[in-house]
Amino acid sequence: MLTLPLLSLQAGDVQVRIHADQGKTKINKEIYGQFAEHLGSCIYGGLWVGPGSPIPNLEGYRLDVLTALKDLQVPVLRWPGGCFADDYHWMDGIGPRADRPTLRNNNWGGTIEDNSFGTHEFLNLCEMLGCEPYISGNIGSGTVKEMAQWVEYMTSDGDTPMARLRRKNGRQKPWHVKYFGIGNEAWGCGGNMTPEYYSNEFRRYNTYLRNQPGNALYRIASGASDYDYNWTRVLMKAIGRQMNAISVHYYTVKDWGHKGKATAFSDEEYYLTLEKCLDVENVIRKHCQVMDETDPQKHIGLMVDEWGTWWDEEPGTIPGHLYQQNSLRDAMVAALMLNVYHKYTDRVRMANIAQMVNVLQAMILTDQKGTGHMVLTPTYHVFHMYKGFQEATYLPIDLTCDSITNINGKNVPTVSASAARQTDGKLILSLANTHLKEAQTVSIQLEGFAAKSVTGRILTAKHTSDFNDFDHPDTVKPVEFKDTRLKNGTLNVKLPSQSIVVLTIA
Ligand code: AHR
């Protein structure tokens, strides 16, 4: 592995001040959202094996995966794409499975899709997980009628044609469907539209998506790719309050031509990755500024409905299936990104990591040879450790720490932190030490909070490239963290190098 020297490095103590008495905004649980696309083995082999599979399943859903996901407290799940959404015709995925037509998945490796996982299978999965469904509608190759009928099929309780069809297919009562995306990446795979053209299309489609009694849709416009602020500005002006939210996609990729390997990288690449990941804050801030121009009251939400790392596909896997390993570096990216989302929770109402199983920065990997093995990734463990942030009140913090200067002259802070007050009154604090070699001594002032006890968990590994596989599923997993000292209202923490710690302070 190539390790290049870093240009400069300063060492010193870290100071954190938590304003525990200044919390105003709730961290929407939807920031912990997930994304499952018909891509590679996310759905087929990942979430769904079908009722006849030798892999243990509950009516076709993989039992091991289902159990792990339930424990993660998934708040919202986006489906069926991604790019797939604008090729998807929902009527192909209802009725007896044997009668469903097949299609070629043109975006993702040309794989033949048999439509055995469709609307019923998805919405029933959401009910099992206790999460909100987030449907991505097809504006690229679909019709207004098709999208309107889908909404009616899922949510009408009346004696309407689509509700009758749903009942004929075995579901009496409508599902609850709140989040509805009108297209995906309309500037690219979702139709190659201009923002002006898309805005008109949004208004036309949206007109016919009727709220059914007891089910109001939260309408999400297909937003920009990372740095395209013009897209957001045009939509804010042209669509305005007809949308409830606008999305943005941000992938942690330094160079799309050379994404790099998931588990073999230099120290320098590691820091460049963190720098790119932290740039999400600039991107979010600028989109928020644009939104503030026409919506200073923040009625319209910003949804980061695709984010995550994107590495080279694992050798030997099917091209176009985006199957990648997941190391401690991915966990660090997850922790840093979540800390940023917390900070902008007054505008960022949802974020969906790409993707839930077997694709990109996944929570879970299942054996591609079909042996029935599965493994939890380091990213899963971060989401698990961070569960207490869901619906907690964001607390402002002041943080002073050193930084590492990358070869391109840009800085990566050695520590990232986020704090919140949970509904039970306890504080939750996340601390990530990005430094590959040095521990950080952190001194934390808790303003407006009398702390009595601290418990914690830590995620770290010998090497930042360490990962879990089917033979070694526990190489990277959280353990109890005890290196804290509470004295005279100050909490001192010794953070090991390349580690993520989450503390609960009572
Ligand atoms: O998550 C993989 C793909 O990335 C999605 O299908 C698309 O929306 C984005 O470009």
Side-chain angles (χ1 to χ4, degrees):
M1 194 199 311
L2 176 73
T3 306
L4 295 169
L6 300 161
L7 274 190
S8 80
L9 192 67
Q10 306 124 31
D13 285 357
V14 181
Q15 306 287 333
V16 174
R17 184 182 298 271
I18 302 178
H19 301 281
D21 46 0
Q22 288 181 27
K24 285 197 199 87
T25 321
K26 193 174 57 122
I27 296 173
N28 299 294
K29 61 180 187 308
E30 285 80 4
I31 281 174
Y32 288 82
Q34 302 273 337
F35 171 34
E37 179 168 8
H38 287 240
L39 194 180
S41 51
C42 183
I43 302 290
Y44 302 108
L47 292 162
W48 177 259
V49 285
S53 170
I55 295 176
N57 67 85
L58 180 66
E59 294 165 16
Y61 305 96
R62 270 186 83 126
L63 260 180
D64 49 359
V65 172
L66 202 57
T67 308
L69 290 174
K70 275 188 185 163
D71 199 27
L72 209 52
Q73 221 173 284
V74 177
V76 59
L77 180 56
R78 180 171 183 252
W79 174 87
C83 294
F84 181 78
D86 284 287
D87 259 329
Y88 184 61
H89 300 280
W90 69 272
M91 283 212 185
D92 293 347
I94 56 171
R97 289 195 192 108
D99 300 344
R100 296 183 192 176
T102 58
L103 84 141
R104 184 176 190 274
N105 192 332
N106 289 315
N107 287 291
W108 306 117
T111 305
I112 300 303
E113 157 75 51
D114 71 1
N115 275 306
S116 57
F117 189 95
T119 301
H120 289 246
E121 289 77 12
F122 171 66
L123 293 173
N124 291 343
L125 171 65
C126 290
E127 285 186 342
M128 287 178 189
L129 293 176
C131 73
E132 294 278 357
Y134 172 6
I135 300 277
S136 265
N138 178 349
I139 193 170
S141 70
T143 63
V144 174
K145 180 180 175 189
E146 186 182 1
M147 196 186 281
Q149 285 183 325
W150 200 7
V151 170
E152 183 190 321
Y153 186 89
M154 294 185 289
T155 62
S156 165
D157 200 15
D159 186 21
T160 67
M162 288 300 110
R164 283 201 295 273
L165 180 59
R166 184 193 67 234
R167 290 188 193 106
K168 191 173 142 234
N169 287 330
R171 172 80 184 198
Q172 289 305 309
K173 283 283 159 200
W175 292 276
H176 170 74
V177 176
K178 179 175 174 185
Y179 297 109
F180 200 94
I182 300 180
N184 166 75
E185 297 194 350
W187 40 265
C189 63
N192 278 307
M193 302 176 196
T194 63
E196 292 79 9
Y197 183 84
Y198 171 73
S199 298
N200 285 338
E201 288 293 274
F202 179 99
R203 295 167 75 99
R204 188 164 72 98
Y205 274 71
N206 187 42
T207 305
Y208 301 95
L209 302 184
R210 304 232 149 81
N211 284 338
Q212 300 294 328
N215 193 92
L217 294 179
Y218 186 96
R219 296 143 196 270
I220 302 167
S222 166
S225 177
D226 37 38
Y227 304 92
D228 184 357
Y229 307 108
N230 180 55
W231 184 277
T232 300
R233 183 170 285 112
V234 172
L235 266 59
M236 287 298 289
K237 287 195 181 135
I239 303 176
R241 298 270 306 265
Q242 288 190 35
M243 61 185 173
N244 297 105
I246 183 170
S247 70
V248 61
H249 290 177
Y250 188 89
Y251 284 99
T252 298
V253 180
K254 200 64 193 156
D255 174 357
W256 284 96
H258 303 92
K259 298 191 200 79
K261 294 190 171 55
T263 54
F265 46 87
S266 64
D267 292 357
E268 189 182 42
E269 282 174 276
Y270 164 82
Y271 287 116
L272 286 170
T273 298
L274 296 197
E275 175 208 314
K276 172 70 188 184
C277 132
L278 286 169
D279 202 32
V280 76
E281 177 155 9
N282 295 323
V283 168
I284 287 178
R285 195 186 299 119
K286 285 188 193 154
H287 282 290
C288 289
Q289 280 163 3
V290 170
M291 295 175 80
D292 284 347
E293 290 166 13
T294 47
D295 179 35
Q297 307 282 328
K298 302 191 193 317
H299 292 292
I300 299 171
L302 181 65
M303 322 299 243
V304 192
D305 63 12
E306 285 185 31
W307 68 274
T309 55
W310 193 321
W311 313 119
D312 295 342
E313 296 175 286
E314 288 300 317
T317 60
I318 299 171
H321 281 200
L322 312 187
Y323 184 88
Q324 66 188 39
Q325 249 300 353
N326 194 297
S327 73
L328 182 65
R329 175 177 62 169
D330 294 81
M332 192 61 80
V333 168
L336 267 45
M337 299 280 277
L338 291 168
N339 288 351
V340 172
Y341 299 150
H342 293 169
K343 199 166 159 191
Y344 294 86
T345 193
D346 58 343
R347 184 69 94 172
V348 176
R349 314 260 158 83
M350 188 194 289
N352 307 73
I353 190 165
Q355 297 193 8
M356 196 175 225
V357 193
N358 290 334
V359 171
L360 300 177
Q361 193 175 350
M363 302 291 119
I364 294 173
L365 297 174
T366 65
D367 190 357
Q368 298 301 284
K369 295 187 207 92
T371 57
H373 290 116
M374 83 149 212
V375 80
L376 304 177
T377 66
T379 300
Y380 175 98
H381 292 308
V382 170
F383 271 66
H384 198 276
M385 288 164 70
Y386 272 57
K387 273 196 296 188
F389 279 106
Q390 295 189 25
E391 299 291 298
T393 302
Y394 172 75
L395 298 176
I397 61 172
D398 304 319
L399 167 67
T400 315
C401 66
D402 294 327
S403 48
I404 291 147
T405 306
N406 268 342
I407 42 144
N408 58 8
K410 296 198 176 150
N411 288 335
V412 175
T414 49
V415 172
S416 164
S418 184
R421 188 189 284 268
Q422 297 176 159
T423 44
D424 62 6
K426 293 178 185 159
L427 299 193
I428 176 166
L429 171 64
S430 63
L431 294 162
N433 179 3
T434 62
H435 204 294
L436 287 173
K437 309 248 158 28
E438 292 179 9
Q440 308 290 324
T441 306
V442 189
S443 161
I444 303 153
Q445 305 291 328
L446 302 159
E447 276 191 6
F449 191 82
K452 291 187 190 68
S453 65
V454 186
T455 53
R457 287 206 293 162
I458 182 168
L459 188 72
T460 188
K462 221 184 233 164
H463 309 288
T464 187
S465 55
D466 282 352
F467 57 90
N468 298 331
D469 64 16
F470 306 112
D471 295 326
H472 313 91
D474 293 328
T475 304
V476 189
K477 76 163 194 195
V479 293
E480 195 181 355
F481 179 71
K482 288 191 175 151
D483 216 343
T484 62
R485 202 161 44 86
L486 196 53
K487 207 174 161 201
N488 303 331
T490 301
L491 175 63
N492 290 300
V493 178
K494 181 99 181 280
L495 281 182
S497 61
Q498 52 187 26
S499 70
I500 299 153
V501 165
V502 176
L503 302 175
T504 305
I505 309 166

